[in-house]
């Protein structure tokens, strides 16, 4: 994994050419045909906290882009990964800190979360109300709503505080992905185990799919889970693996826990990567899918989250 050069609580200093070169070489392992060049230099600065001088150094090291001068466009995954692995105070690192805080406070008695499911019409201008399909714990439900900022559902989530201890066979499996670095990846490569092991890059979904497949091959009871990573101020859709221990499905996500150790300030002595961060997760289904659809079209979703007594 690329070692960050700055703290996750402040902007990093200027990284050296060798570190930038190593990072860019990692990112270039994603095929160019999978890149979507849509982010401007302004987006790089505002969303990812990549200042012009750092962006210039990244492009000099080989970061892909299209266009010339002020019209250059960059891939959002490349920018997000650069900000995260260089320790910048970006959208990604702020999310990591909020997730780490939620996991650290998950043992508080009586703590629950209220999660709103909010979306808007992806094809404005059609006649009639919007036909939203919302994924809920009891399945996908059709909900009609207005085209803009529709509050479609509300979930109350009470995290499980205590989980059964993971057996050594599961912990051994989790340790096998220690050398895999956490990266934001496009859909075309995120599920490819050959890409994961060849590049040593994965996101939580791809790693979860491999853990389930390999765990099942070894005779462990395992299942894939998709649902919500629950944390204030916003929850997010997420994938993880689960293993059956003493009749309980225990969530695991070694890549996420290691990322929270590295960038979120989570104490690795208290929360090692081969432990389960289950208090963060609320399972909705056993496959990767949309949280909100609109007539079969993928719709953006926002998940404002607050604690409740």
């Amino acid at each position: 994994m690329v070692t960050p050069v700055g703290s996750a609580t402040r902007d990093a200093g200027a990284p050296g050419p060798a570190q930038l070169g190593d990072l860019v070489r990692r990112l270039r392992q994603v095929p160019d045909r999978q890149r979507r060049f849509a982010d401007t230099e302004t987006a790089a600065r505002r969303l990812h906290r990549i200042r012009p001088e750092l962006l210039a150094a990244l492009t000099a090291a080989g970061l892909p882009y299209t266009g010339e001068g002020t019209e250059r466009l960059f891939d959002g995954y490349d920018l997000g990964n650069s900000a995260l692995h260089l320790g910048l105070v970006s959208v990604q690192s702020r999310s990591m800190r909020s997730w780490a805080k939620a996991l650290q406070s998950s043992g508080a008695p009586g703590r629950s979360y209220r999660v709103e499911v909010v979306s808007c019409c992806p094809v404005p201008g059609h006649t009639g109300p919007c036909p939203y399909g919302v994924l809920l714990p009891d399945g996908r439900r059709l909900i009609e709503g207005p085209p803009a900022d529709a509050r479609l559902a509300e979930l109350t989530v009470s995290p499980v505080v205590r989980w059964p201890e993971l057996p050594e066979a599961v912990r051994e499996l989790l340790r096998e992905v220690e050398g895999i670095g956490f990266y934001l990846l496009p859909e075309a490569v995120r599920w490819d185990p050959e890409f994961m092991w060849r590049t040593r890059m994965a996101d939580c979904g791809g790693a979860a799919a491999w853990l389930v497949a390999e765990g099942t091959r070894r005779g462990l009871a395992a299942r894939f889970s998709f649902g919500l990573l629950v944390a204030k101020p916003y929850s997010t859709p997420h994938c993880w693996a689960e293993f059956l221990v003493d009749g309980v499905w225990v969530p695991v996500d070694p890549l996420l826990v290691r990322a929270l150790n590295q960038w979120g300030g989570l104490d690795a002595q208290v929360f090692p990567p081969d432990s389960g961060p289950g208090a963060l997760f609320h399972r909705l289904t056993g496959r990767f899918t949309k949280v909100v659809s609109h007539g079969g079209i993928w719709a953006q979703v926002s998940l404002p989250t607050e604690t409740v007594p």
Side-chain angles (χ1 to χ4, degrees), residues 69-207:
T70 59
E71 302 300 316
R72 291 187 302 177
L73 296 174
F74 298 84
D75 175 69
Y77 287 110
D78 284 340
L79 296 178
N81 284 318
S82 296
L84 192 59
H85 284 267
L86 294 174
L88 306 184
V89 184
S90 63
V91 171
Q92 290 79 18
S93 67
R94 289 196 296 270
S95 296
M96 294 281 182
R97 290 198 299 276
S98 71
W99 301 342
K101 184 178 180 180
L103 184 55
Q104 288 168 325
S105 63
S106 61
R111 180 181 294 275
S112 295
Y113 294 91
R114 180 185 297 115
V115 183
E116 287 189 332
V117 182
V118 181
S119 189
C120 61
C121 180
V123 285
H126 64 79
T127 59
C130 291
Y132 294 106
V134 183
L135 183 64
L136 297 173
D138 58 353
R140 190 168 295 276
R141 189 182 306 169
L142 180 63
I143 300 175
E144 292 188 345
D149 292 333
R151 281 164 172 76
L152 303 174
E154 182 179 286
L155 304 175
T156 299
V157 180
S158 299
V160 176
V161 176
R162 297 187 182 275
W163 296 89
E165 189 75 16
L166 291 171
E168 180 56 30
V170 175
R171 290 182 180 274
E172 180 182 350
L173 178 62
L174 300 185
R175 288 193 289 268
E176 291 199 17
V177 297
E178 283 182 355
I180 305 297
F182 176 85
Y183 288 82
L184 308 167
L185 295 174
E187 192 74 10
V189 298
R190 70 183 307 206
W191 305 108
D192 183 357
E194 189 277 332
F195 177 88
M196 183 179 84
W197 289 109
R198 174 172 51 82
T199 66
R200 317 298 284 184
M201 300 165 65
D203 67 4
C204 293

Side-chain angles (χ1 to χ4, degrees), residues 50-61:
I50 300 176
R51 297 190 177 107
E53 58 271 22
L54 178 56
L55 188 60
L58 284 166
T59 56

